[in-house]
Amino acid sequence: MTAPAYNFAYLDEQTKRMIRRAILKAVAIPGYQVPFASREMPMPYGWGTGGVQVTAAVLGPDDILKVIDQGADDTTNAVSIRKFFIKTAGVRTTTETCEATVIQTRHRVPETPLSEKQILVFQVPIPEPLRFLEPRETETRRMHALADYGLMHVKLYEDIAHYGHIATAYAYPVKVDGRYVMDPSPTPKFDNPKMDGCAALQLFGAGREKRIYAVPPHTSVVSLDFDDHPFEPYRLDGACVLCGADDSYLDEVITDDRGARMFVCSDTDFCAGRRSAASSAEGLDAERRRD
Amino acid sequence: MYVAAKGGERAIENAHRLLAHERRGDTSVPELSLAQIEGQMAFAVDRVMNEGSLYDRELAALAIKQARGDLIEAIFLLRAFRATLPRIGVSEPIESSAMTVRRRISAAFKDLPGGQVLGPTFDYTHRLLEPQSLDVVVEPALADADVASSPRVTDLLAADDLVEPSPRPEGNVPVGDLTQDPLEFPAGRDLRLQNLARGDEGFLLALGYSTQRGYGRNHPFAGEIRLGEVEVEFSPPELGFAVPLGRITVTECQMINQFRGTATEPPRFTRGYGLGFGHCERKVMAMALVDRALRARELEEEVKAPAQDEEFVLSHSDNVQATGFVEHLKLPHYVDFQAELGLVRSLRKRFQDAATGESVREAAE
């Protein structure tokens, strides 16, 4: 039995080159799903293997990595993936959005706007936005090739006919650079506008489905809608009980068995940043009063 | 002040400690050795090697022990290790007619060159629990080895053109490898067979069974099942000839299936093929049934049953992928669920507003 020895960031260099080629192609054709030979990773499929492979392929020794799940740095799977890269790559990690050069995320786009120096890596379960309308890959690839998105518009129209509005709350389909319809991963549709014209490179990795796609910096990402039924991002009407933010995406927390609820920022770094800014401002006020 | 708890580092560490503790079980009972698992849980080892697609009995035994006997978890451990191994090249095709046969049966012919060899099988045992029999050391009954070769039944039939010939490789086209290139549809038979060889035994068993019950029926006969050792050879490019690497145990199944012919093809039997590491008859028989079912398109048969549907079968056969995605539902989905809650609340409000509006109207009338 040979004791395994692993390369920087786990994957061997040949595999990384293969993934980087797929990423380059994805960047060249925004929103197009590039097939890649996804490897078995030491964490289960469906738990971020695509994102982990993309991160492993773009990560360098000087990078500073942030990993979030549901917007939070302290969710179990985010902790587990961060530890994986600490162990296999030894890179610096952070919870601060501004400080990170690579951010791997599941289900959220950070509230703090991103910069050109950052890469946002999404974990994607089902990369095909048309999958629930057409289960066959051969068919959906043809539809993308012909930009045949009629089926999607019919589905959205049927929603409006049934409910009076488009009844999709997350993984809301977008059109990238005016060409490919893309699944933004299961982020709440609140986050869709943040992807539009984003300064950071956005990479999407789907390990089990073996697809990589990308939104290059400053690329248009338009949520599908109709002229008379424009896209509306959903946000629960309320403010975070911890930091008071009334513009961030909120987690709903049940506090007792009598229906009491409270709402807190889903983005823990954003919330913590607002609270520390508030307390230092309070400190300044107090000093001024003493003077 | 209430602060939302979202798990964290210490919880994971403690969960791992607890898992390690429970894995060992009662410490007054001796710990299982890898040699014990390898020697006495041989079918479990074979299954893990097959679906883990790595021939290494010792690592498979280690994976089974580490996974506490959860074979899919063990398969996953082996696959993750395999993914990191460098590839030197592709071995020569194995020659199963040169196999050192330990078991060889044909359900199509009563006797045939090389004979029927029952070998170690559960087939004719009575399934009675016999705790006292487990401690007994049984010596096998020995006989002189049959020096006659055991040609493949399908080769015997092919001599009269009664069964389609074994397909020859097309020139120097390299054999596909779905672990190195993403699977695309339609997939060639090489990739389909690789997918089935790695596929979940239970899934293939159910699909094979469904063809027997009429969902894509292909009238199979177990032409031959053989178990034994074959030589693996490799031709290093700098040598230009094949050198033996060692011997592995494999099980091979050749199903013979009815075929009525087409406008251009005469009626003759067709083949379904199954091959796996170690002793794995159930797996290779199911694999052969599904392989034949997946050839429907090629043989101009109507594709109407799940087992004939290439995308359906090949996309769902991998239990490491399947278990990962099913079990990922354990991961938090707070933000999506919050969005769905908002949606359902708004739909309910609309529904209730409409209902109140209606009753107000009715009252007014």
Side-chain angles (χ1 to χ4, degrees), chain A residues 253-272:
Chain A
V253 181
I254 299 176
T255 48
D256 63 23
D257 56 1
R258 295 181 304 277
R261 283 166 167 71
M262 59 178 261
F263 298 94
V264 293
C265 288
S266 132
D267 185 334
T268 46
D269 171 60
F270 176 77
C271 191

Side-chain angles (χ1 to χ4, degrees), chain B residues 69-357:
Chain B
D70 179 339
L71 294 191
I72 292 184
E73 181 69 27
I75 289 159
F76 181 16
L77 285 168
L78 213 57
R79 286 263 195 99
F81 173 68
R82 178 193 191 275
T84 66
L85 296 176
R87 280 137 209 277
I88 308 164
V90 179
S91 68
E92 298 293 316
I94 58 168
E95 182 51 78
S96 61
S97 64
M99 175 187 281
T100 312
V101 167
R102 280 199 277 149
R103 170 167 163 79
R104 190 266 195 129
I105 53 162
S106 170
F109 295 102
K110 187 172 180 182
D111 199 8
L112 62 167
Q116 305 252 20
V117 181
L118 214 45
T121 176
F122 291 124
D123 282 355
Y124 304 100
T125 60
H126 295 139
R127 269 62 167 202
L128 304 171
L129 288 170
E130 292 171 335
Q132 69 281 9
S133 72
L134 294 184
D135 303 327
V136 182
V137 177
V138 181
E139 291 301 327
L142 298 177
D144 288 334
D146 193 344
V147 288
S149 67
S150 299
R152 286 181 291 249
V153 169
T154 41
D155 291 346
L156 299 174
L157 280 169
D160 296 331
D161 197 35
L162 287 171
V163 68
E164 61 177 336
S166 227
R168 297 274 134 211
E170 295 164 24
N172 273 332
V173 182
V175 66
D177 182 351
L178 57 82
T179 68
Q180 297 295 296
D181 296 299
L183 188 61
E184 282 176 21
F185 300 112
R189 196 171 175 205
D190 52 346
L191 289 169
R192 296 201 304 256
L193 285 170
Q194 184 191 14
N195 177 289
L196 298 180
R198 290 158 58 90
D200 183 76
E201 179 174 312
F203 179 72
L204 295 188
L205 181 66
L207 281 176
Y209 177 46
S210 73
T211 68
Q212 291 180 283
R213 292 194 63 261
Y215 289 83
R217 186 147 184 245
N218 55 34
H219 308 272
F221 295 94
E224 178 170 357
I225 295 159
R226 57 170 68 200
L227 157 74
E229 281 66 46
V230 292
E231 193 124 86
V232 179
E233 294 185 320
F234 177 63
S235 296
E238 61 271 29
L239 280 186
F241 57 86
V243 292
L245 297 180
R247 294 173 78 75
I248 61 170
T249 305
V250 295
T251 309
E252 183 187 53
C253 173
Q254 298 250 15
M255 287 286 177
I256 303 173
N257 310 71
Q258 212 177 72
F259 179 57
R260 296 183 190 284
T262 63
T264 51
E265 288 284 316
R268 62 182 169 197
F269 292 103
T270 53
R271 303 165 183 238
Y273 188 75
L275 182 78
F277 289 150
H279 192 177
C280 53
E281 278 172 51
R282 185 189 299 124
K283 167 73 182 262
V284 295
M285 290 178 77
M287 179 176 169
L289 290 173
V290 178
D291 169 49
R292 175 59 184 79
L294 289 176
R295 295 180 62 205
R297 189 167 33 86
E298 170 200 341
L299 296 170
E300 296 174 34
E301 294 166 335
E302 199 188 341
V303 175
K304 52 188 175 181
Q308 297 169 311
D309 185 330
E310 174 179 295
E311 263 204 68
F312 178 79
V313 173
L314 302 188
S315 304
H316 302 112
S317 60
D318 191 307
N319 55 25
V320 178
Q321 291 175 6
T323 198
F325 201 45
V326 167
E327 294 196 52
H328 109 286
L329 295 173
K330 291 184 279 195
L331 289 178
H333 288 78
Y334 320 132
V335 298
D336 301 342
F337 190 67
Q338 212 295 312
E340 287 283 278
L341 269 177
L343 180 64
V344 171
R345 280 176 183 141
S346 79
L347 292 174
R348 285 177 60 84
K349 187 165 182 305
R350 255 185 91 83
F351 176 83
Q352 275 150 4
D353 289 352
T356 353

Side-chain angles (χ1 to χ4, degrees), chain A residues 1-2 4 6 10 12 35-47 69-70 72 74-77 79-80 82-83 106-108 125-126 135-138 163-165 167-170 186-188 208 210-211 234 236 241-242 249-255 261-264 266 268, chain B residues 1-9 11-13 34 56 58-59 62 76 79-85 87 178-186 198 309-312 318 320-343 345-347 350:
Chain A
M1 219 185 308
T2 39
Y6 297 112
Y10 185 76
D12 59 287
F36 83 111
S38 172
R39 300 291 194 254
E40 265 105 359
M41 298 300 285
M43 60 270 294
Y45 284 113
W47 299 55
D69 182 354
Q70 314 294 299
D74 59 355
T75 31
T76 42
N77 206 42
V79 170
S80 159
R82 190 181 317 114
K83 281 177 108 172
R106 177 171 172 263
H107 294 193
R108 277 309 310 277
I126 305 269
R136 270 168 214 288
E137 179 67 15
T138 36
Y163 310 113
H165 57 88
T168 298
Y170 63 92
T187 48
R208 191 177 41 76
K210 302 181 169 51
R211 295 291 183 273
Y234 160 83
L236 184 123
V241 295
L242 299 178
Y249 193 80
L250 299 177
D251 272 349
E252 183 164 342
V253 181
I254 299 176
T255 48
R261 283 166 167 71
M262 59 178 261
F263 298 94
V264 293
S266 132
T268 46
Chain B
M1 178 84 236
Y2 179 91
V3 178
K6 285 189 170 185
E9 214 152 336
I12 296 183
E13 261 163 36
L34 298 188
D56 189 320
E58 195 181 2
L59 283 182
L62 172 66
F76 181 16
R79 286 263 195 99
F81 173 68
R82 178 193 191 275
T84 66
L85 296 176
R87 280 137 209 277
L178 57 82
T179 68
Q180 297 295 296
D181 296 299
L183 188 61
E184 282 176 21
F185 300 112
R198 290 158 58 90
D309 185 330
E310 174 179 295
E311 263 204 68
F312 178 79
D318 191 307
V320 178
Q321 291 175 6
T323 198
F325 201 45
V326 167
E327 294 196 52
H328 109 286
L329 295 173
K330 291 184 279 195
L331 289 178
H333 288 78
Y334 320 132
V335 298
D336 301 342
F337 190 67
Q338 212 295 312
E340 287 283 278
L341 269 177
L343 180 64
R345 280 176 183 141
S346 79
L347 292 174
R350 255 185 91 83

